[in-house]
């Protein structure tokens, strides 16, 4: 059966960790707009420079750019059996754009993607973001405060030096939350009304969240 999943949740709610685990177990492409945009920024292209001017302020990158990236990605062959959208859509406008893209491409199904909402109290989030580090080589994500790493600067899987995202500062995090509450949160009501939404308690530990997530897959 085709598996199409959308993940919605505030910055730092753990979507990245869970979607990576799900992508490996179900062998589905993990489409993370934040990472795709950071890759574009790293190329130094005109679009990357434009995207960065929004990202460093914690604002949404213009919809034309994001829609193009998503459309091109969903047309790739590896999306034939399904996909995991992590961090897209992030606004009503993007949800409408996604409906259009999904209607246009030949998916071999009419069923709507299942949407997972990561519910977590906001007070836990800023701390998670400022303590977040990731491995630029294998993509592993760590929390240097709660995870008790042997060395807070090295990836436990491949030994690469961990990096901290430029926007994982308290100052930008506050702006990212404001963007989330104003533009992304209304999607919860939209997808609830459409019967697509499943809510997960994302304040639990990683393995429990994953067990609940896979158990909720329809
Ligand atoms: P993330 O890695 O998901 O925290 O995203 C980092 C930043 O990339 C966000 O603060 C936005 O500036 C931008 N971004 C990621 N996904 C989207 C999206 N779907 N639409 C617009 N901007 C996005």
């Amino acid at each position: 059966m085709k598996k199409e999943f959308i993940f919605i949740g505030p910055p730092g709610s753990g979507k990245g960790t869970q979607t990576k685990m799900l992508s490996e177990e179900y062998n589905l492409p993990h489409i993370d707009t934040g990472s795709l945009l950071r890759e574009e920024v790293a190329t130094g292209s005109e679009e990357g420079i434009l995207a960065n001017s929004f990202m460093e302020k914690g604002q949404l990158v213009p919809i034309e750019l994001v829609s193009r990236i998503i459309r091109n990605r969903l047309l790739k062959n590896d999306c034939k059996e399904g996909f995991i959208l992590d961090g897209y859509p992030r606004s009503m406008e993007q949800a409408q754009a996604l409906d259009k893209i999904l209607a246009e491409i030949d998916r071999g199904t009419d069923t709507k993607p299942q949407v997972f909402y990561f519910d977590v109290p906001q007070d836990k989030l800023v701390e998670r973001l400022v303590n977040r580090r990731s491995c630029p080589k294998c993509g592993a994500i760590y929390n240097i405060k709660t995870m008790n790493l042997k060395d807070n600067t090295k990836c436990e899987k491949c030994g690469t030096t961990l990096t901290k995202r430029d926007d994982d500062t308290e100052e930008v995090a506050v702006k990212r939350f404001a963007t989330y509450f104003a533009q992304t949160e209304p999607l919860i009501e939209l997808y609830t009304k459409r019967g697509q939404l499943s809510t997960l308690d994302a304040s639990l530990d990683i393995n429990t969240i994953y067990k609940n997530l896979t158990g909720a897959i329809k």
Side-chain angles (χ1 to χ4, degrees), residues 33-34 37-38 55 59-61 87-88 90 94 165 176:
T33 41
L37 288 164
R38 280 186 288 279
M55 292 164 82
Q59 295 171 355
L60 296 187
V61 166
Y88 177 90
R90 281 199 196 197
Q94 290 187 7
R165 278 173 44 177
R176 288 161 68 200

Side-chain angles (χ1 to χ4, degrees), residues 190-206:
L190 172 79
Y191 287 125
T192 302
K193 277 191 189 148
R194 289 189 184 178
Q196 286 172 257
L197 197 91
S198 303
T199 298
L200 294 170
D201 179 352
S203 61
L204 304 172
D205 66 276
I206 290 173

Side-chain angles (χ1 to χ4, degrees), residues 118-153:
F118 276 37
D119 188 15
V120 54
Q122 201 194 340
D123 57 0
K124 290 203 171 191
L125 297 174
V126 177
E127 200 176 292
R128 278 196 195 177
L129 287 180
V130 296
N131 291 308
R132 176 162 70 180
R133 301 289 183 276
S134 57
C135 174
K137 193 166 173 212
C138 74
I141 302 169
Y142 300 98
N143 182 311
I144 55 164
K145 191 153 179 212
T146 58
M147 281 183 157
N148 263 330
L149 303 182
K150 273 186 241 123
D151 177 347
N152 278 345
T153 65

